[in-house]
mmCIF file of all heavy atoms in Angstrom:
data_model
loop_
_atom_site.group_PDB
_atom_site.id
_atom_site.type_symbol
_atom_site.label_atom_id
_atom_site.label_comp_id
_atom_site.label_asym_id
_atom_site.label_seq_id
_atom_site.Cartn_x
_atom_site.Cartn_y
_atom_site.Cartn_z
ATOM 1 N N PRO U 349 147.888 105.028 126.275
ATOM 2 C CA PRO U 349 148.713 104.673 127.490
ATOM 3 C C PRO U 349 149.077 105.756 128.426
ATOM 4 O O PRO U 349 149.084 105.638 129.606
ATOM 5 C CB PRO U 349 149.904 103.878 126.958
ATOM 6 C CG PRO U 349 149.811 103.925 125.364
ATOM 7 C CD PRO U 349 148.455 104.591 125.064
ATOM 8 N N ARG U 350 149.376 106.908 127.823
ATOM 9 C CA ARG U 350 149.837 108.018 128.714
ATOM 10 C C ARG U 350 148.774 108.911 129.313
ATOM 11 O O ARG U 350 148.958 109.627 130.207
ATOM 12 C CB ARG U 350 150.712 108.970 127.791
ATOM 13 C CG ARG U 350 151.978 108.371 127.244
ATOM 14 C CD ARG U 350 153.140 108.642 128.134
ATOM 15 N NE ARG U 350 154.482 108.143 127.487
ATOM 16 C CZ ARG U 350 155.187 108.703 126.665
ATOM 17 N NH1 ARG U 350 154.771 110.018 126.291
ATOM 18 N NH2 ARG U 350 156.183 108.267 126.083
ATOM 19 N N THR U 351 147.603 108.774 128.749
ATOM 20 C CA THR U 351 146.541 109.477 129.219
ATOM 21 C C THR U 351 146.139 109.184 130.591
ATOM 22 O O THR U 351 146.141 108.028 131.145
ATOM 23 C CB THR U 351 145.224 109.222 128.431
ATOM 24 O OG1 THR U 351 145.639 109.272 127.066
ATOM 25 C CG2 THR U 351 144.117 110.326 128.723
ATOM 26 N N ARG U 352 145.951 110.221 131.426
ATOM 27 C CA ARG U 352 145.598 109.946 132.824
ATOM 28 C C ARG U 352 144.190 109.610 132.903
ATOM 29 O O ARG U 352 143.427 110.084 132.132
ATOM 30 C CB ARG U 352 145.794 111.140 133.710
ATOM 31 C CG ARG U 352 146.971 112.165 133.245
ATOM 32 C CD ARG U 352 147.156 113.163 134.325
ATOM 33 N NE ARG U 352 146.705 112.660 135.707
ATOM 34 C CZ ARG U 352 147.310 113.002 136.773
ATOM 35 N NH1 ARG U 352 148.244 113.926 136.860
ATOM 36 N NH2 ARG U 352 146.902 112.474 137.948
ATOM 37 N N HIS U 353 143.873 108.882 133.913
ATOM 38 C CA HIS U 353 142.426 108.572 134.042
ATOM 39 C C HIS U 353 141.906 109.516 135.137
ATOM 40 O O HIS U 353 142.530 109.744 136.093
ATOM 41 C CB HIS U 353 142.328 107.100 134.496
ATOM 42 C CG HIS U 353 142.505 106.151 133.333
ATOM 43 N ND1 HIS U 353 141.505 105.933 132.352
ATOM 44 C CD2 HIS U 353 143.674 105.485 132.900
ATOM 45 C CE1 HIS U 353 142.022 105.182 131.486
ATOM 46 N NE2 HIS U 353 143.254 104.845 131.802
ATOM 47 N N PHE U 354 140.757 110.010 134.917
ATOM 48 C CA PHE U 354 140.068 110.877 135.839
ATOM 49 C C PHE U 354 138.960 110.050 136.514
ATOM 50 O O PHE U 354 138.427 109.200 135.841
ATOM 51 C CB PHE U 354 139.525 112.050 135.227
ATOM 52 C CG PHE U 354 140.536 112.859 134.487
ATOM 53 C CD1 PHE U 354 140.952 112.658 133.194
ATOM 54 C CD2 PHE U 354 141.216 113.859 135.181
ATOM 55 C CE1 PHE U 354 141.974 113.338 132.606
ATOM 56 C CE2 PHE U 354 142.181 114.675 134.618
ATOM 57 C CZ PHE U 354 142.485 114.383 133.292
ATOM 58 N N LEU U 355 138.690 110.425 137.716
ATOM 59 C CA LEU U 355 137.591 109.768 138.553
ATOM 60 C C LEU U 355 136.579 110.809 138.906
ATOM 61 O O LEU U 355 136.708 112.034 138.872
ATOM 62 C CB LEU U 355 138.146 109.241 139.793
ATOM 63 C CG LEU U 355 139.320 108.161 139.705
ATOM 64 C CD1 LEU U 355 139.960 107.755 141.009
ATOM 65 C CD2 LEU U 355 138.900 106.921 138.904
ATOM 66 N N VAL U 356 135.399 110.255 139.210
ATOM 67 C CA VAL U 356 134.218 111.153 139.729
ATOM 68 C C VAL U 356 134.734 111.952 140.909
ATOM 69 O O VAL U 356 135.454 111.370 141.831
ATOM 70 C CB VAL U 356 133.118 110.352 139.905
ATOM 71 C CG1 VAL U 356 132.003 111.318 140.579
ATOM 72 C CG2 VAL U 356 132.553 109.731 138.773
ATOM 73 N N GLY U 357 134.608 113.249 140.783
ATOM 74 C CA GLY U 357 135.027 114.100 141.909
ATOM 75 C C GLY U 357 136.293 114.845 141.746
ATOM 76 O O GLY U 357 136.649 115.750 142.408
ATOM 77 N N ASP U 358 137.196 114.348 140.684
ATOM 78 C CA ASP U 358 138.341 115.071 140.435
ATOM 79 C C ASP U 358 138.012 116.524 139.977
ATOM 80 O O ASP U 358 137.079 116.785 139.086
ATOM 81 C CB ASP U 358 139.094 114.294 139.257
ATOM 82 C CG ASP U 358 139.789 113.087 139.776
ATOM 83 O OD1 ASP U 358 139.687 112.812 141.015
ATOM 84 O OD2 ASP U 358 140.232 112.335 138.943
ATOM 85 N N ALA U 359 138.923 117.402 140.384
ATOM 86 C CA ALA U 359 138.852 118.800 139.922
ATOM 87 C C ALA U 359 139.663 118.894 138.661
ATOM 88 O O ALA U 359 140.863 118.451 138.643
ATOM 89 C CB ALA U 359 139.391 119.721 140.995
ATOM 90 N N VAL U 360 139.076 119.501 137.612
ATOM 91 C CA VAL U 360 139.875 119.476 136.249
ATOM 92 C C VAL U 360 139.697 120.810 135.636
ATOM 93 O O VAL U 360 138.927 121.688 136.047
ATOM 94 C CB VAL U 360 139.242 118.436 135.309
ATOM 95 C CG1 VAL U 360 139.538 116.989 135.827
ATOM 96 C CG2 VAL U 360 137.792 118.675 135.114
ATOM 97 N N LEU U 361 140.608 121.026 134.659
ATOM 98 C CA LEU U 361 140.668 122.252 133.787
ATOM 99 C C LEU U 361 140.454 121.786 132.379
ATOM 100 O O LEU U 361 141.061 120.835 131.931
ATOM 101 C CB LEU U 361 141.935 122.886 134.014
ATOM 102 C CG LEU U 361 142.177 124.193 133.196
ATOM 103 C CD1 LEU U 361 141.271 125.259 133.780
ATOM 104 C CD2 LEU U 361 143.621 124.621 133.100
ATOM 105 N N LEU U 362 139.363 122.421 131.726
ATOM 106 C CA LEU U 362 139.006 122.070 130.433
ATOM 107 C C LEU U 362 139.688 123.215 129.523
ATOM 108 O O LEU U 362 139.596 124.475 129.888
ATOM 109 C CB LEU U 362 137.497 121.959 130.283
ATOM 110 C CG LEU U 362 136.825 121.051 131.136
ATOM 111 C CD1 LEU U 362 135.352 121.092 130.786
ATOM 112 C CD2 LEU U 362 137.343 119.622 130.827
ATOM 113 N N SER U 363 140.120 122.701 128.269
ATOM 114 C CA SER U 363 140.590 123.772 127.427
ATOM 115 C C SER U 363 140.327 123.387 125.981
ATOM 116 O O SER U 363 140.328 122.216 125.677
ATOM 117 C CB SER U 363 142.053 124.000 127.752
ATOM 118 O OG SER U 363 142.838 122.986 127.208
ATOM 119 N N TRP U 364 140.169 124.440 125.045
ATOM 120 C CA TRP U 364 140.054 124.060 123.603
ATOM 121 C C TRP U 364 140.539 125.216 122.887
ATOM 122 O O TRP U 364 140.629 126.414 123.366
ATOM 123 C CB TRP U 364 138.620 123.624 123.221
ATOM 124 C CG TRP U 364 137.546 124.574 123.369
ATOM 125 C CD1 TRP U 364 137.245 125.555 122.494
ATOM 126 C CD2 TRP U 364 136.608 124.642 124.380
ATOM 127 N NE1 TRP U 364 136.112 126.306 122.961
ATOM 128 C CE2 TRP U 364 135.723 125.662 124.144
ATOM 129 C CE3 TRP U 364 136.413 123.865 125.589
ATOM 130 C CZ2 TRP U 364 134.653 126.038 124.956
ATOM 131 C CZ3 TRP U 364 135.305 124.227 126.364
ATOM 132 C CH2 TRP U 364 134.467 125.251 126.153
ATOM 133 N N GLN U 365 140.758 125.017 121.540
ATOM 134 C CA GLN U 365 141.377 126.048 120.718
ATOM 135 C C GLN U 365 140.254 126.818 120.040
ATOM 136 O O GLN U 365 139.154 126.248 119.831
ATOM 137 C CB GLN U 365 142.274 125.520 119.768
ATOM 138 C CG GLN U 365 143.579 124.902 120.439
ATOM 139 C CD GLN U 365 144.543 124.327 119.465
ATOM 140 O OE1 GLN U 365 144.116 123.824 118.467
ATOM 141 N NE2 GLN U 365 145.835 124.386 119.866
ATOM 142 N N ALA U 366 140.540 127.887 119.595
ATOM 143 C CA ALA U 366 139.501 128.775 118.914
ATOM 144 C C ALA U 366 138.893 128.121 117.718
ATOM 145 O O ALA U 366 137.715 128.251 117.502
ATOM 146 C CB ALA U 366 140.129 130.091 118.522
ATOM 147 N N ASP U 367 139.772 127.445 116.960
ATOM 148 C CA ASP U 367 139.048 126.708 115.644
ATOM 149 C C ASP U 367 138.342 125.572 115.983
ATOM 150 O O ASP U 367 137.698 124.966 115.041
ATOM 151 C CB ASP U 367 140.223 126.615 114.680
ATOM 152 C CG ASP U 367 141.246 125.619 115.155
ATOM 153 O OD1 ASP U 367 141.150 125.161 116.308
ATOM 154 O OD2 ASP U 367 142.156 125.256 114.322
ATOM 155 N N SER U 368 138.256 125.067 117.197
ATOM 156 C CA SER U 368 137.428 124.026 117.657
ATOM 157 C C SER U 368 135.940 124.416 117.751
ATOM 158 O O SER U 368 135.145 123.599 117.777
ATOM 159 C CB SER U 368 137.963 123.274 118.759
ATOM 160 O OG SER U 368 139.123 122.724 118.586
ATOM 161 N N PHE U 369 135.898 125.720 117.963
ATOM 162 C CA PHE U 369 134.546 126.280 118.293
ATOM 163 C C PHE U 369 133.852 126.679 116.971
ATOM 164 O O PHE U 369 134.390 127.520 116.162
ATOM 165 C CB PHE U 369 134.696 127.507 119.211
ATOM 166 C CG PHE U 369 133.389 128.066 119.752
ATOM 167 C CD1 PHE U 369 132.808 127.519 120.696
ATOM 168 C CD2 PHE U 369 132.908 129.135 119.037
ATOM 169 C CE1 PHE U 369 131.559 128.017 121.158
ATOM 170 C CE2 PHE U 369 131.750 129.716 119.469
ATOM 171 C CZ PHE U 369 131.047 129.167 120.547
#
Side-chain angles (χ1 to χ4, degrees):
Chain U
R350 297 261 185 90
T351 313
R352 333 187 25 150
H353 288 280
F354 298 91
L355 301 171
V356 172
D358 284 356
V360 291
L361 181 70
L362 306 176
S363 70
W364 64 81
Q365 294 178 331
D367 63 355
S368 301
F369 183 81

